Amino acid sequence: MEEYPINNRRLRLNQHIRELSRQVRLHHEQFIQPLFVCEGISKPTPSPVLNGVSTHTKDSVLAQIERDLKVGVTKFLLFPIPATKSDLPSDFEFITSVIASIKQRFGNTIWLAMDVCLCAYTSHGHCGILTKEGTAINNSKSVQTLAHYALQLAQAGADCIAPSDMMDGRIGAIRTLLNANGLEHIAIMSYSAKFASVFYGPFRDVCGSSPDKTLQLKGRSSYQIDFTNTGDAIRSTIRDMEEGADIVMVKPALAYLDIIQSLKAQVNVPIAAYQVSGEYQMLELMVREGLMDRRSAHLEAWTSMVRSGTSIVISYASREAKQWLSS
Ligand code: PBG
């Protein structure tokens, strides 16, 4: 019989040498937990399409953060679901009062990033304001509204502004307005490489923010990045950095690891990966069917993001990270 001696397997043979050989280590400190707060509900409501995720009331979100703090989650990304929608959103009182009550209760023990977008506020579900004819997005008007919205969120106590709208020029406009109002210390995490993706489906169900299909302006492809276009993702991310983004983002994550890897080679700011609703729920449904283990599935997916170059992971299962990473 021919001899086939062990060589590469030497470093895989036992737990000890595998631990010593690891090239990537996840840590719970690098996770951000999304939260949804909804104006029109009287008690927390579990989502039927996003496993383990509930929309919260102004009060129940405080209780959720309290529970999360106990399991080691300190960083949050908050999404508002307002009760009323309009063509020209201007009333942000609900979410600013939520931020104020969160910050009053938890202060700097938590870090609160606020998603900045108009899609949950507009009657048509688009991320910006439409032109008079309703056939296109008015970029300048959208950016002005987004910047004023961001200012109100920061004044209410948000630690970080995270624009996900994909309008041109919003990062610069927000940075300028924050600075002009003494808020130079508020960070901006830009959804800089955000692709027009089908994987946002469950999120839109939770937020009621699907764009109106009867409009001439179909879907979000006139502002989110075409998923064939690496060049656009790189260009948009570098542009956002130049406009003042402190953290950049690739979204979705799992189908876009090549983008993370290219960006890592080109930018020197932290990169966040957003494991979005659809990619999260794909794993959850497999788990529900008994086809794989939940912890192993998420750890393997998260590891691929960090291995590709992200230092930050945004996941609906972030509250599981500390326990999973220490067992
Ligand atoms: C708002 C926004 C979306 C997501 C984050 N911010 C939806 C969209 O662009 O349609 C998606 C998050 C997810 O799917 O988990 N623009």
Side-chain angles (χ1 to χ4, degrees):
M1 193 181 78
E2 198 153 350
E3 291 292 315
Y4 298 103
I6 280 179
N7 48 56
N8 281 3
R9 288 191 53 227
R10 272 193 298 279
L11 292 179
R12 303 176 198 147
L13 280 180
N14 61 62
Q15 176 76 11
H16 306 292
I17 206 160
R18 284 196 298 276
E19 286 175 6
L20 292 170
S21 309
R22 281 193 183 133
Q23 298 193 320
V24 167
R25 284 170 218 278
L26 301 185
H27 196 283
H28 73 272
E29 287 174 355
Q30 66 196 142
F31 285 82
I32 298 178
Q33 175 69 51
L35 293 171
F36 297 95
V37 64
C38 183
E39 188 177 13
I41 56 174
S42 53
K43 58 178 188 350
T45 310
S47 163
V49 294
L50 210 45
N51 231 32
V53 175
S54 290
T55 48
H56 283 284
T57 67
K58 189 178 172 182
D59 290 332
S60 76
V61 78
L62 298 173
Q64 179 64 60
I65 294 173
E66 188 91 57
R67 287 194 295 279
D68 286 340
L69 272 172
K70 289 206 176 96
V71 296
V73 181
T74 55
K75 297 140 185 123
F76 300 90
L77 175 59
L78 185 60
F79 293 93
I81 309 171
T84 49
K85 303 195 184 249
S86 90
D87 286 352
L88 290 171
S90 60
D91 176 5
F92 306 115
E93 160 65 23
F94 168 66
I95 191 59
T96 53
S97 72
V98 172
I99 297 169
S101 76
I102 291 175
K103 274 298 177 175
Q104 193 186 4
R105 170 93 164 258
F106 300 104
N108 290 335
T109 56
I110 67 158
W111 183 84
L112 185 63
M114 277 303 311
D115 184 86
V116 169
C117 193
L118 299 178
C119 61
Y121 288 93
T122 52
S123 30
H124 43 73
H126 278 290
C127 302
I129 291 168
L130 302 188
T131 56
K132 272 199 203 72
E133 304 74 39
T135 51
I137 302 275
N138 182 328
N139 197 81
S140 302
K141 227 178 185 170
S142 303
V143 170
Q144 281 166 12
T145 305
L146 289 159
H148 283 283
Y149 177 38
L151 175 61
Q152 291 183 39
L153 299 173
Q155 284 172 333
D159 297 291
C160 176
I161 295 299
S164 66
D165 55 283
M166 294 304 281
M167 299 304 136
D168 279 334
R170 88 271 205 219
I171 301 299
I174 290 172
R175 186 71 274 160
T176 303
L177 195 60
L178 292 179
N179 290 2
N181 286 274
L183 293 161
E184 299 85 356
H185 56 289
I186 302 300
I188 297 179
M189 174 166 71
S190 172
Y191 289 67
S192 58
K194 176 172 177 178
F195 291 88
S197 170
V198 74
F199 294 112
Y200 307 148
F203 173 98
R204 289 179 189 167
D205 188 274
V206 171
C207 292
S209 64
S210 292
D212 186 344
K213 293 209 172 53
T214 60
L215 283 174
Q216 208 171 323
L217 185 70
K218 291 216 168 58
R220 303 213 199 284
S221 41
S222 80
Y223 41 101
Q224 298 182 348
I225 299 172
D226 186 292
F227 58 69
T228 67
N229 205 326
T230 304
D232 191 351
I234 306 287
R235 222 162 40 238
S236 299
T237 299
I238 289 173
R239 188 260 331 253
D240 284 6
M241 280 171 51
E242 287 168 357
E243 288 186 17
D246 303 289
I247 300 170
V248 295
M249 190 193 297
V250 176
K251 173 185 176 204
L254 206 53
Y256 296 86
L257 297 177
D258 57 321
I259 306 290
I260 295 175
Q261 199 168 27
S262 309
L263 275 180
K264 180 65 182 167
Q266 298 187 59
V267 308
N268 53 12
V269 298
I271 304 172
Y274 197 144
Q275 182 192 40
V276 300
S277 56
E279 60 177 298
Y280 166 84
Q281 190 65 6
M282 278 199 300
L283 303 185
E284 293 289 319
L285 291 177
M286 290 273 280
V287 170
R288 196 186 286 173
E289 289 293 308
L291 296 173
M292 56 189 191
D293 171 64
R294 184 163 187 247
R295 172 181 181 271
S296 309
H298 284 295
L299 286 182
E300 189 172 333
W302 293 340
T303 300
S304 73
M305 297 160 203
V306 175
R307 195 179 61 232
S308 303
T310 61
S311 52
I312 300 168
V313 176
I314 303 168
S315 169
Y316 297 102
S318 287
R319 61 174 61 98
E320 255 64 77
K322 189 170 182 184
Q323 188 202 334
W324 285 348
L325 289 167
S326 51
S327 59

